[in-house]
Amino acid sequence: MEKPVDHATESSETIPHKSNDLENTNHPDESEHQSQNNNPTETATTPESESSQLSLPQVMEAVDDFIQSLSSSTDPLQEIPPAVEPFPETVDSLVSKMESSGLGRDETEDSAFINAVNRISISVIRLRELNLDSTPVSSWLNRASSVQHRAVSLLDEEFRHLLDRSKDNKKKNGDEHNKHDESDDNNPPQEEETFPDIPPESIPTLKKIAGAMISAGYETECCMSYETSRRHAFKEELSEIRFEGINVDDVQRIPWESLQGEIASWISIVRRCSSVLFPGELSLCRTVFPEQDHASLRKGLFTGLVSAVTIRFLDFSGAVVLTKRSSEKLFKFLDMYETLGEAAVTIFGELENSIKTDIGRTPVPSGAVHPLTRYTMNYLKYACEYKDTLNQVFQHYEKAETDETEPEPERHQREDDEEYKTSAFARQMIRVMELLDANLEVKSGLYRDPSLRSIFLMNNGRYILQKIKGSIEIRDLMGQAWTRKRSTELRQYHKSYQRETWGKVLQCMNQEGLQVNGKISKTALKERFKIFNNMFDEIHKTQSTWIVNDEQMQSELRVSIAALVIPAYRSFFGRYKQHIDSGRHTDKYVKYQPEDIESVIDDLFDGNPASMGRKRT
C-alpha cells in the first residue's frame, strides 16, 4: 500500500507525549557527569523519550510505516509501536485547534489536519479488518475510533459551513450592488454572473474534506450534507428570481392576462437555469468530487438536484397546457416550446462540455473501461429514445445558426452521400463520439506501457461498439460506415498490442546468433532460453493483472496470442532442446514445455495476480 500524500511536512510542531516530566529530568550534576563519561553514540534512549520529541511530519511518517506493516506483515500485531501510540491524542489536539480556528483559512494547516484524519481513518479501518485480540491494540483502536468520529464530525460541520458561505457572499454582493445603485444609477456594474457563488479559495478545502470523509467511511453523511446545502442554495436562488412554483389548480384559476406574466417569468427562469445554474452546479459537483470512482456519486447528487427543479418547471408547463384552449394562447405556448427546446440543446451541450473537461491525470487501473465511456454511452442510449423530438430540436437550431452565419459554398451532394442523409441529431451524436474518441486517446497516453495503452483503447472501443450494436436506435443513427470504421480501429489496436508485447518474444526464438563456426553454441542457446523465460514470466506477471472486460474479446486475444507464440516456441523447443539435454541443470534453462505456454496465456487479462501454479509438469 502506498503512503498517503503528506502536505504537513512544512510543520515542525513537536508532538507531546503523556509522560512524567519529573521522571525524565536529571539532576544538573548527574547530567554533567553523564555527558563527561558516556560516549554519545552508546547512549540508550527509551522509545517513550524518542516519541516525545517527534515532530508532526515524523509522527506522520511513523504512522505511514505502521499502516504499511498492517498490510504486509504476516505476524499478528501484539502492540502499537511507541511512535504511533500517542497519535490519537495528537489528532485530538489538532481537532481542538481546528474547532477554534476553523478550516478554509490556512491551506497548510488544513492539509496537515486532513492528512492526519486520513491516516487515523486508514489505521482504524485496517485494524478493524484484522480483528485482533490484543488488549493494547484494542485499547488504542478504541481511542483512535473515538478521535476519528470527533474529527469527521468537525469535517462535516466545516463542509456545510464552507458550502453555505455562498449565501453570505451573495448577501454581501447584493448589499454592495444596492449601495452602488443608490450612488450611481446611471452606471450599473457590468459583471458576468457566476453560480454558485462559493469563494475560489474554499474549493480545494471542500474537495479535501469530501475525500477524507468518504475514505473514512462517511460517504452517506458527506452526500447528505452536500445535497441539503445545495438544495437550500438552489431554493434561495429561485426565490430571488421570483420562482415559487404554482400548482395546477392555481394555474386553472388565474386569468389569462395574469398567467401571461407568469409564463414570461417561467421562460426567463428556465433559460437561466439551463445556461447558468445547472452548468454551474455540475461544475461544482465535479470539482468537489473529482475522483474517477466517485462518478456514480456525482451523477446521483447532480441528477437529484436538477430533477427536483426540473419537475417544478414541467409541472407548471403541464398545467398551462391544461388550461382552456383559445387562439390567443398559441404564441405563448410556442414561446414555452422554444424555451424547452433551447434548454434541451443547452443541457445536451453539457454532455460535450463534460467530455472536454474530463482531464483526470490518473489512469483507470488495469486498462479497464473508463467511467466516462460508460456514462456517455448510457446517456446517448437513453437520449435515442427521444430521437425524433431531439432531431426536430437540433434541426431547428442548426437552421437558426445557419441563418445567422454566412452561407457555406454550395456542395455537389449525391443522394447516397451519408452526411447528406444523416439527421441533425445524428450529426450531434457523431460530434459527441468524436469528442469521446479524442478524450480516450489522450487518456491512453497516461499509461507508460504501450501494450496496456492498446488494451485500454480496445476495452473502451469494444464497449462503445457493443453498446451501438445493442441499440437499434443508436445503430441506425450512427450508420454502418461508422460501425465498420470502429471495428477496423479495434483490429488495429489488437495488432498494435501483439506487436508491442510479443514481437520481442518472437525475435528471441529466431536462429540468428545461435551458431558459431557452423555449430550450435550451447552458451548462446542457454542465454536465448533464459531470455525467453524472463520475458514470458514478466508478461505473465504483469498482464494477468490487466482486465479485458468483454469475454469474447478476452477469448479472441488469448487465441490469437496462442496461435502466434505456441507454434513458434514448439518449433524452437523441438529444434534446440536436444542440445541442452546432455548438460546438467537442464530445467534451469528450459523452464517451459510447449504445452505449458497455453496454460500461462489463459491467465492473462483476468485482473488477478499471476500464479505459476498452473504450469504442467
Side-chain angles (χ1 to χ4, degrees):
M1 174 182 174
E2 294 182 3
K3 296 181 179 180
V5 178
D6 189 0
H7 300 285
T9 53
E10 298 176 20
S11 172
S12 59
E13 182 179 351
T14 301
I15 306 304
H17 186 271
K18 27 177 210 175
S19 58
N20 190 331
D21 292 338
L22 293 176
E23 292 178 3
N24 296 326
T25 303
N26 291 323
H27 189 278
D29 294 338
E30 262 184 63
S31 177
E32 184 179 352
H33 178 76
Q34 290 177 357
S35 63
Q36 290 175 354
N37 293 286
N38 292 344
N39 187 324
T41 59
E42 298 176 355
T43 303
T45 309
T46 64
E48 289 78 2
S49 61
E50 284 183 355
S51 62
S52 67
Q53 299 302 316
L54 293 180
S55 65
L56 182 57
Q58 290 173 321
V59 172
M60 295 287 205
E61 185 175 356
V63 174
D64 288 342
D65 293 338
F66 173 62
I67 293 170
Q68 181 72 30
S69 69
L70 292 177
S71 302
S72 58
S73 178
T74 57
D75 297 327
L77 182 69
Q78 297 299 324
E79 59 181 13
I80 302 297
V84 179
E85 173 64 32
F87 188 53
E89 286 69 36
T90 299
V91 178
D92 198 49
S93 66
L94 290 175
V95 173
S96 299
K97 181 179 179 182
M98 298 310 293
E99 283 176 339
S100 301
S101 62
L103 276 77
R105 292 170 175 79
D106 187 309
E107 188 172 350
T108 301
E109 288 189 359
D110 291 349
S111 295
F113 174 63
I114 292 174
N115 283 323
V117 176
N118 284 334
R119 284 167 170 80
I120 203 165
S121 295
I122 295 172
S123 302
V124 167
I125 292 170
R126 292 288 184 271
L127 287 174
R128 283 176 178 165
E129 290 173 350
L130 294 175
N131 195 23
L132 300 170
D133 293 331
S134 168
T135 301
V137 173
S138 298
S139 174
W140 190 91
L141 178 58
N142 290 336
R143 286 158 45 211
S145 299
S146 177
V147 172
Q148 181 209 23
H149 181 73
R150 183 186 174 207
V152 174
S153 296
L154 174 62
L155 288 178
D156 186 36
E157 182 180 338
E158 291 294 319
F159 191 59
R160 285 183 277 109
H161 172 70
L162 291 173
L163 286 170
D164 291 342
R165 286 180 66 182
S166 60
K167 304 171 192 173
D168 300 333
N169 281 348
K170 184 171 289 295
K171 183 178 185 303
K172 180 180 178 182
N173 292 338
D175 293 342
E176 291 178 353
H177 181 77
N178 292 336
K179 290 179 182 178
H180 187 95
D181 286 346
E182 293 172 2
S183 62
D184 190 358
D185 293 335
N186 296 323
N187 297 291
Q190 300 294 324
E191 295 182 4
E192 183 179 352
E193 184 178 16
T194 59
F195 179 84
D197 193 18
I198 293 178
E201 62 272 14
S202 298
I203 299 296
T205 306
L206 284 168
K207 174 182 172 182
K208 291 175 185 176
I209 292 176
M213 290 184 68
I214 293 172
S215 298
Y218 290 78
E219 178 179 317
T220 302
E221 290 79 0
C222 179
C223 291
M224 188 178 299
S225 294
Y226 183 88
E227 185 176 22
T228 301
S229 177
R230 297 313 308 153
R231 279 180 182 266
H232 187 67
F234 226 95
K235 183 179 179 180
E236 285 194 344
E237 190 71 23
L238 293 178
S239 297
E240 287 187 11
I241 54 181
R242 298 181 178 86
F243 180 76
E244 300 295 340
I246 303 175
N247 61 42
V248 177
D249 294 334
D250 290 338
V251 171
Q252 301 297 324
R253 288 194 295 265
I254 294 176
W256 175 244
E257 292 75 15
S258 301
L259 190 56
Q260 289 184 76
E262 295 291 342
I263 291 174
S265 175
W266 179 91
I267 289 172
S268 174
I269 292 166
V270 170
R271 286 175 174 166
R272 184 160 181 264
C273 280
S274 62
S275 61
V276 177
L277 303 188
F278 289 168
E281 196 64 40
L282 180 59
S283 176
L284 176 66
C285 200
R286 287 180 185 147
T287 304
V288 176
F289 304 97
E291 301 302 325
Q292 291 173 354
D293 52 356
H294 296 163
S296 59
L297 184 151
R298 285 195 302 269
K299 180 182 177 183
L301 288 172
F302 177 70
T303 303
L305 175 63
V306 171
S307 297
V309 177
T310 304
I311 287 172
R312 294 175 65 188
F313 293 153
L314 296 179
D315 284 345
F316 177 80
S317 63
V320 171
V321 171
L322 293 176
T323 60
K324 185 178 179 181
R325 307 292 173 84
S326 59
S327 57
E328 69 270 13
K329 294 182 179 180
L330 172 64
F331 305 106
K332 282 298 178 183
F333 280 20
L334 291 175
D335 286 342
M336 296 179 75
Y337 171 79
E338 290 275 348
T339 302
L340 289 173
E342 289 175 7
V345 171
T346 303
I347 292 171
F348 194 90
E350 280 304 306
L351 175 63
E352 296 183 22
N353 291 334
S354 69
I355 296 172
K356 292 176 183 176
T357 56
D358 193 306
I359 52 174
R361 305 307 300 171
T362 304
V364 175
S366 306
V369 176
H370 197 281
L372 178 65
T373 304
R374 295 184 186 275
Y375 175 79
T376 301
M377 295 311 299
N378 287 323
Y379 191 103
L380 294 180
K381 178 185 176 182
Y382 292 129
C384 283
E385 295 179 6
Y386 306 89
K387 65 177 182 177
D388 294 335
T389 303
L390 287 170
N391 189 48
Q392 292 177 18
V393 170
F394 283 113
Q395 275 182 337
H396 173 79
Y397 284 96
E398 271 191 357
K399 185 177 183 302
E401 289 179 358
T402 303
D403 292 342
E404 293 175 2
T405 57
E406 295 183 6
E408 294 182 2
E410 184 179 353
R411 295 176 57 195
H412 301 286
Q413 293 173 317
R414 308 192 319 267
E415 287 299 318
D416 61 346
D417 190 331
E418 285 292 331
E419 186 175 353
Y420 177 79
K421 293 192 296 184
T422 54
S423 67
F425 181 49
R427 287 189 285 275
Q428 193 72 22
M429 291 270 290
I430 291 172
R431 186 154 49 245
V432 169
M433 293 305 306
E434 289 173 347
L435 286 172
L436 180 60
D437 285 341
N439 188 293
L440 291 173
E441 188 67 36
V442 172
K443 283 179 166 49
S444 70
L446 298 175
Y447 297 98
R448 296 182 180 181
D449 189 329
S451 298
L452 184 53
R453 193 176 305 151
S454 297
I455 292 295
F456 171 77
L457 292 171
M458 288 176 67
N459 273 323
N460 285 270
R462 180 76 169 202
Y463 182 86
I464 292 169
L465 190 61
Q466 292 301 96
K467 279 289 183 181
I468 292 173
K469 288 182 176 179
S471 169
I472 297 174
E473 292 80 6
I474 301 181
R475 189 170 69 244
D476 290 344
L477 283 169
M478 303 305 292
Q480 292 184 357
W482 192 92
T483 305
R484 285 194 298 269
K485 178 176 177 289
R486 173 68 59 176
S487 298
T488 301
E489 289 174 351
L490 275 178
R491 287 193 292 270
Q492 291 173 347
Y493 297 146
H494 190 154
K495 291 178 181 178
S496 176
Y497 161 77
Q498 286 188 328
R499 183 175 59 252
E500 292 292 345
T501 296
W502 301 102
K504 294 178 181 178
V505 176
L506 295 176
Q507 285 177 10
C508 80
M509 290 187 286
N510 61 34
Q511 302 179 32
E512 294 181 9
L514 293 180
Q515 293 189 1
V516 177
N517 298 326
K519 294 183 179 181
I520 299 297
S521 169
K522 289 187 178 181
T523 301
L525 187 58
K526 289 177 180 178
E527 183 63 24
R528 192 68 63 86
F529 269 105
K530 184 178 178 182
I531 291 172
F532 173 84
N533 295 338
N534 290 338
M535 293 177 68
F536 198 61
D537 286 350
E538 183 59 31
I539 290 171
H540 179 228
K541 176 184 176 183
T542 302
Q543 298 194 13
S544 61
T545 66
W546 295 357
I547 294 175
V548 173
N549 301 86
D550 185 85
E551 290 185 4
Q552 183 180 343
M553 188 172 75
Q554 185 189 71
S555 177
E556 290 171 355
L557 267 171
R558 290 171 176 170
V559 168
S560 68
I561 294 168
L564 193 69
V565 178
I566 292 177
Y569 184 74
R570 182 176 284 115
S571 174
F572 184 78
F573 180 89
R575 178 176 295 182
Y576 295 112
K577 183 176 182 293
Q578 59 182 326
H579 296 284
I580 299 180
D581 279 343
S582 57
R584 297 191 309 171
H585 307 300
T586 303
D587 291 343
K588 180 180 178 181
Y589 303 101
V590 184
K591 185 175 181 179
Y592 294 100
Q593 299 294 317
E595 57 269 22
D596 294 330
I597 302 298
E598 184 176 359
S599 297
V600 175
I601 290 173
D602 285 343
D603 281 341
L604 304 181
F605 317 122
D606 265 342
N608 298 314
S611 171
M612 302 303 292
R614 294 174 61 179
K615 191 182 77 169
R616 299 174 188 169
T617 56

